Amino acid sequence: MRFIFAGFGGQGVMLMGQILAYAGMIEGKNVTWMPSYGPEMRGGTANCTVVVSDGPVASPVVDKAEVVVAMNIPSMIKFQDFLTENGFFFLNKSVIDREPDRKDGIKIYKLECNEIADKLGNLKVANMVMLGAVIGATKIVSKESVFKALEKKLTGKKAELIEINKLAIEEGMKKVSEQ
Amino acid sequence: MRKLLYKMPESLSGKEFTYCPGCHHGIVHRLVAEVIDELGIREKTLVVAPIGCSVFAYQFFNMDGTIAAHGRAPAVATGMKRARPDLYVFTYQGDGDLAAIGTAEIMHAANRGEKITTIFINNAIYGMTGGQMAPTTLLGMKTTTTPYGRDAQKDGYPMHMCEFLKEAKGVAYLARTKVTTPQDVEKTKKAIKKAFLAQIKGIGFGMVEVLSTCPTNWGMDPISAMKWLEEKMVPEYPLGIFVDKVGDEK
Amino acid sequence: MEKVMVKGTEAIGEAAIRAGCRHFFGYPITPQSELPEYMSKRLPEVGGVFLQTESEVATVNMLYGAACTGTRVMTSTSSPGFSLMMEGVSYMACAQLPAVFVNVVRGGPGLGDIQPAQGDYWQATKGGGHGDYKLIVLAPSTVQEAVDLTVLAFDLADKYRTPTLILADGLLGQMMEPVTFPEFRDLSTLPDHSSWAMTGAKDREPHIITSFDIDPYILEKMNLELVEKYKEIEKNEVRWEEFMTEDAEIVITAFGTVARIAKSVVEMARKDGIKVGLFRPITVWPYPYEPLKKLTEKVDLFFDVEMNMGQMLEDVKLAIGDKKPVAFYSRMGGVVPTPTEIYEALKKEIGRRV
């Protein structure tokens, strides 16, 4: 399964992809995480591509994706045509105030990630709310694996953020199950 | 009873110098070798020869040696010293090598306080390539690339490496000397010893700039060349000790 | 060993340390700065030395100096930086100094950009610096392979007393994949260089290391020694991978990251019933001419894909000669071709030939 995570720099889209890839690895799957990089990373748009597969991953570069996560409008516009038939399109409704052009033959999920994160007490976990929705809808990896990945990735001073990130994942899963 | 008063330093290989008559490289080579002998570090010393007339220096010294790319001797020496801090490393460089193409390397090695020693021969000209202008060529001086004399407007000014380097905090010893008289030879030897001690004691970078003759490319006989050095070079490049953090020997 | 997720650049750094590298000299340049950053943090932990240099020119000469003492030493850079190192690489090849270089290739020529490219293939495999010399050039296509080839690069450098090069690109450098690292090499088991290294002339004749002799007849002898060595390397060290070539009628040739993208193209084509395979050189010098030539017996069309104007294409053609047609597809300037793009180009090529 191929994933594209895209948004503004600072929205944590790189981390979303990394946590998913990590969780895939923990489950013994083959994974790649590939970032866009360059000057645009600093405050501009950022995106990363994740491939999770039972067999070896051939190309880490994708031009089609089963899952596209757009955290802002430019990302929605840029990546909507990457979606395969029956693909999953996740939109951060807190930022995206319009409809995508691509609607037919795909599953669209809209979440108010920022508001949900804010209610949890930290706007920064909006990305994990979205990741929760992604794993909830796609079932690509288990919640437990994502939690383990968070524990691996958030170490040192960042360890204190593990709990709120877990809450965000759970909240995202819950919200997506209601859609 | 016979007493040995004078012999070839052990730190020289015995291979005959290939330098021109009246050139000061030979004197300075010997001084370096004497100092290394006296410090008892020959078996732990590595020599980095430059590109220039002294490209063969590694053959004249009786120790492990190499030739660095043009100007890069301080970088090569840095690599050696960082890999083997228990050994002593010195570079032997001319003015084209050190003060033109290699300015970045010498500046940064000095500024890092790299524990290496540099012997810098300033004879105001490119020797090996046939008498072209060096960064240290004097104003008005004719060379094969300044046939009308060095013109400050066109060619810039003589380069004062000691004056530049003395500002670098990593420098532990820095001096400019000459070897035209026996007294000067003694002074130069002392300076070279201190530049090595700066390394041995782990204080920092040490360098001795030696004003030298190049009778061949200056177009003079050796005696006139010595006179020219005294009269023309010394006023442009004042002798002296610029930095000394080594202190007096006990 | 446990698998860990790491970036390609960091994976190379950790692999180098495990291979016994304790000295790294480097200058920042995108897209590989994570490697010196990683080494600056990691080397002091294992008693090693990291030094940020004043330039790539200084870097390569520091490698020269460190290699003279017989230690395992490494640097990494990206295209313009590797160009600056060329003089020193040539010196090291002639002086027979082992060291490992990493070039995380970016778009060029000139300042170019900072995106992945393969435009330094010629520089890496055909010379780059002055004079007659060769580098062993390893082209990984996955992060795990980057780890394995980094270790190999050190071993080959020591075995043949030659600089070796990991030819990567920005994509491999930046991407993360799970990898297994090898165990730490016991430093006391590393190859013994005491017969030539500069370690102080105690109780022996001085060791002289140069890339120089003023006598052409002696220099020619030094050249011939290198020639012999290169022949030996060509005999022993050719490495390549074949993917679904057994029944292939069309074979894609590609190296590094692009080969990996091409693997997806093979899978796409197979789904459509087109018998496509992949031939991927792992050593781009020495180049696997013979195994590629062998494929001409059953393959009808070769399709070379690169991120340059057709540099490896020359080697592909050298191997294949006029036995079979060779088509070519490329993107340049840091543009990475997608699997679909390559597949469409391949189908067009097939259509042209039916």
Side-chain angles (χ1 to χ4, degrees):
Chain A
M1 204 171 233
R2 296 161 291 184
F3 299 77
I4 292 170
F5 296 90
F8 291 123
Q11 281 185 312
V13 294
M14 296 301 186
L15 186 65
M16 259 195 270
Q18 283 183 13
I19 295 292
L20 175 65
Y22 237 106
M25 180 185 82
I26 287 165
E27 293 190 2
K29 296 184 162 81
N30 293 289
V31 297
T32 59
W33 172 88
M34 193 193 73
S36 64
Y37 68 91
E40 77 273 15
M41 272 168 73
R42 322 270 182 255
T45 61
N47 70 79
C48 65
T49 307
V50 175
V51 182
V52 181
S53 161
D54 290 329
V57 181
S59 175
V61 178
V62 308
D63 42 23
K64 289 268 174 274
E66 282 75 27
V67 180
V68 170
V69 176
M71 295 298 280
N72 64 7
I73 293 167
S75 302
M76 175 182 83
I77 294 166
K78 184 172 176 187
F79 291 110
Q80 55 190 354
D81 291 330
F82 280 65
L83 271 171
T84 55
E85 284 294 306
N86 302 316
F88 297 80
F89 203 5
F90 293 89
L91 304 172
N92 180 12
K93 205 178 161 191
S94 310
V95 178
I96 301 171
D97 60 0
R98 66 185 77 165
E99 293 294 312
D101 298 328
R102 179 91 186 270
K103 281 186 206 137
D104 299 333
I106 55 170
K107 295 178 268 284
I108 297 178
Y109 299 89
K110 295 179 188 169
L111 278 92
E112 293 181 320
C113 299
N114 297 23
E115 285 78 1
I116 297 167
D118 211 17
K119 255 185 225 162
L120 289 171
N122 189 341
L123 183 60
K124 282 203 165 152
V125 299
N127 59 345
M128 290 301 133
V129 172
M130 186 56 106
L131 185 60
V134 170
I135 65 159
T138 63
K139 308 271 188 292
I140 183 75
V141 289
S142 72
K143 181 178 85 178
E144 289 69 29
S145 301
V146 172
F147 283 7
K148 270 189 209 156
L150 279 169
E151 285 159 12
K152 282 244 179 204
K153 191 80 196 163
L154 303 176
T155 53
K157 240 192 127 193
K158 287 180 185 160
E160 59 195 38
L161 295 170
I162 290 174
E163 275 318 302
I164 190 161
N165 274 288
K166 285 182 178 175
L167 283 176
I169 296 276
E170 281 177 334
E171 203 56 27
M173 291 180 78
K174 201 174 108 197
K175 283 279 174 341
V176 85
S177 69
E178 290 160 6
Q179 291 194 15
Chain B
M1 262 272 289
R2 287 191 303 173
K3 200 174 156 204
L4 183 69
L5 294 174
Y6 194 76
K7 63 166 182 140
M8 195 181 69
E10 210 194 326
S11 293
L12 286 181
S13 66
K15 190 178 159 74
E16 220 167 284
F17 291 150
T18 44
Y19 301 117
C20 306
C23 167
H24 285 176
H25 271 310
I27 301 173
V28 181
H29 276 31
R30 181 179 172 102
L31 292 179
V32 171
E34 284 180 3
V35 164
I36 292 172
D37 276 10
E38 285 168 24
L39 292 167
I41 56 170
R42 185 192 69 84
E43 293 175 338
K44 299 183 79 178
T45 300
L46 313 179
V47 50
V48 183
I51 309 294
C53 285
S54 49
V55 67
F56 292 110
Y58 70 94
Q59 295 185 1
F60 304 136
F61 289 103
N62 178 26
M63 57 196 65
D64 287 1
T66 189
I67 309 170
H70 198 25
R72 318 303 170 206
V76 168
T78 297
M80 290 173 170
K81 188 71 180 184
R82 294 293 178 121
R84 288 295 302 269
D86 57 318
L87 299 179
Y88 305 110
V89 189
F90 77 98
T91 72
Y92 190 103
Q93 304 175 254
D95 43 33
D97 194 83
L98 183 141
I101 196 166
T103 43
E105 283 74 16
I106 193 68
M107 282 288 174
H108 285 272
N111 197 55
R112 284 193 303 266
E114 216 56 68
K115 284 148 197 79
I116 59 171
T117 303
T118 292
I119 309 300
F120 169 35
I121 303 298
N122 176 4
N123 58 12
I125 206 152
Y126 278 72
M128 189 175 70
T129 47
Q132 295 83 10
M133 181 186 74
T136 49
T137 293
L138 305 183
L139 289 181
M141 186 175 161
K142 284 183 180 168
T143 70
T144 56
T145 50
T146 53
Y148 310 107
R150 182 173 189 169
D151 172 4
Q153 291 309 310
K154 185 164 95 35
D155 308 312
Y157 295 90
M159 194 99 162
H160 291 70
M161 291 310 293
C162 281
E163 286 79 354
F164 284 139
L165 286 168
K166 72 175 195 221
E167 302 299 332
K169 296 272 198 301
V171 175
Y173 187 80
L174 184 61
R176 183 183 287 127
T177 66
K178 61 186 169 75
V179 287
T180 45
T181 70
Q183 292 81 355
D184 287 317
V185 170
E186 273 310 303
K187 275 188 193 168
T188 299
K189 185 174 168 184
K190 265 187 198 149
I192 291 173
K193 194 167 205 172
K194 281 215 168 178
F196 271 94
L197 283 169
Q199 170 174 190
I200 292 167
K201 292 184 174 180
I203 308 169
F205 175 79
M207 183 177 104
V208 180
E209 171 178 349
V210 185
L211 301 184
S212 307
T213 54
C214 182
T216 302
N217 286 301
W218 290 357
M220 297 177 194
D221 63 70
I223 305 285
S224 316
M226 298 256 261
K227 207 164 158 237
W228 192 86
L229 186 152
E230 298 279 3
E231 286 171 5
K232 304 284 185 189
M233 280 188 80
V234 173
E236 177 69 32
Y237 298 108
L239 307 180
I241 295 163
F242 294 84
V243 178
D244 185 357
K245 298 177 188 165
V246 180
D248 288 324
E249 260 188 284
K250 285 181 191 103
Chain C
M1 285 283 291
E2 199 196 347
K3 277 196 173 183
V4 283
M5 278 268 288
V6 279
K7 266 195 175 187
T9 42
E10 295 169 352
I12 291 170
E14 182 62 27
I17 287 171
R18 289 179 186 238
C21 172
R22 291 294 177 274
H23 297 89
F24 185 99
F25 301 89
Y27 188 84
I29 181 170
T30 309
Q32 62 79 52
S33 296
E34 293 87 349
L35 185 39
E37 282 168 7
Y38 184 82
M39 296 307 249
S40 71
K41 181 165 167 281
R42 193 74 179 84
L43 274 170
E45 292 175 356
V46 294
V49 173
F50 167 85
L51 182 64
Q52 180 168 329
T53 68
E54 61 267 34
S55 69
E56 285 90 350
V57 175
T59 302
V60 69
N61 288 286
M62 289 181 193
L63 254 69
Y64 179 106
C68 277
T69 70
T71 189
R72 286 199 158 178
V73 61
M74 176 190 219
T75 188
S76 72
T77 185
S78 180
S79 306
F82 197 52
S83 289
L84 277 172
M85 292 182 187
M86 282 296 105
E87 183 197 27
V89 170
S90 166
Y91 272 58
M92 292 179 79
C94 185
Q96 309 212 42
L97 289 171
V100 175
F101 291 80
V102 180
N103 182 359
V104 181
V105 181
R106 62 188 235 182
L111 183 55
D113 61 20
I114 56 176
Q115 299 304 319
Q118 296 184 318
D120 301 356
Y121 179 92
W122 281 331
Q123 183 190 50
T125 60
K126 310 291 175 192
H130 57 286
D132 280 320
Y133 78 91
K134 286 285 187 185
L135 296 178
I136 296 177
V137 188
L138 306 166
S141 75
T142 68
V143 179
Q144 181 66 55
E145 195 179 30
V147 167
D148 301 339
L149 292 184
T150 299
V151 177
L152 180 68
F154 279 101
D155 289 340
L156 293 179
D158 274 338
K159 182 176 176 189
Y160 295 103
R161 279 188 64 188
T162 183
T164 59
L165 171 66
I166 306 279
L167 189 66
D169 62 56
L171 204 148
L172 184 71
Q174 296 293 324
M175 68 181 288
M176 285 176 101
E177 268 186 299
V179 298
T180 309
F181 284 111
E183 295 292 343
F184 283 89
R185 198 70 68 84
D186 177 353
L187 298 187
S188 66
T189 64
L190 294 181
D192 176 20
H193 294 320
S194 62
S195 65
W196 59 265
M198 290 172 62
T199 54
K202 186 173 160 53
D203 304 325
R204 61 161 171 77
E205 288 298 302
H207 287 166
I208 302 299
I209 298 172
T210 73
S211 61
F212 168 74
D213 204 291
I214 203 79
D215 180 340
Y217 293 97
I218 298 178
L219 188 62
E220 187 184 43
K221 269 191 193 148
M222 286 164 67
N223 272 277
L224 289 170
E225 212 178 287
L226 290 181
V227 170
E228 281 309 307
K229 175 164 85 176
Y230 297 147
K231 275 187 194 156
E232 203 49 31
I233 294 170
E234 282 175 327
K235 205 170 80 194
N236 301 333
E237 307 300 344
V238 174
R239 288 167 170 81
W240 75 97
E241 183 201 355
E242 288 183 39
F243 178 66
M244 306 192 95
T245 52
E246 300 79 17
D247 62 341
E249 290 161 1
I250 299 163
V251 162
I252 300 177
T253 50
F255 72 96
T257 306
V258 179
R260 190 166 178 172
I261 299 169
K263 237 181 211 181
S264 286
V265 178
V266 171
E267 286 165 357
M268 290 160 93
R270 291 274 169 174
K271 261 184 209 158
D272 291 346
I274 310 172
K275 286 184 178 163
V276 178
L278 170 72
F279 183 89
R280 176 174 74 90
I282 295 169
T283 50
V284 283
W285 194 84
Y287 195 82
Y289 292 111
E290 284 307 315
L292 181 55
K293 189 177 165 189
K294 211 156 173 260
L295 285 178
T296 56
E297 290 161 15
K298 45 189 182 177
V299 171
D300 299 326
L301 170 67
F302 289 87
F303 191 70
D304 185 53
V305 184
E306 299 181 61
M307 292 197 289
N308 58 43
M309 66 194 275
Q311 300 193 9
M312 185 181 82
L313 180 62
E314 293 187 351
D315 284 321
V316 172
K317 284 181 173 169
L318 261 180
I320 291 166
D322 54 6
K323 289 194 179 70
K324 292 289 159 64
V326 183
F328 176 63
Y329 178 76
S330 88
R331 297 303 301 261
M332 282 179 279
V335 178
V336 180
T338 65
T340 309
E341 272 171 29
I342 298 173
Y343 187 38
E344 289 304 320
L346 176 63
K347 281 195 286 193
K348 209 182 267 175
E349 192 58 44
I350 296 168
R352 204 174 290 149
R353 284 167 198 280
V354 171

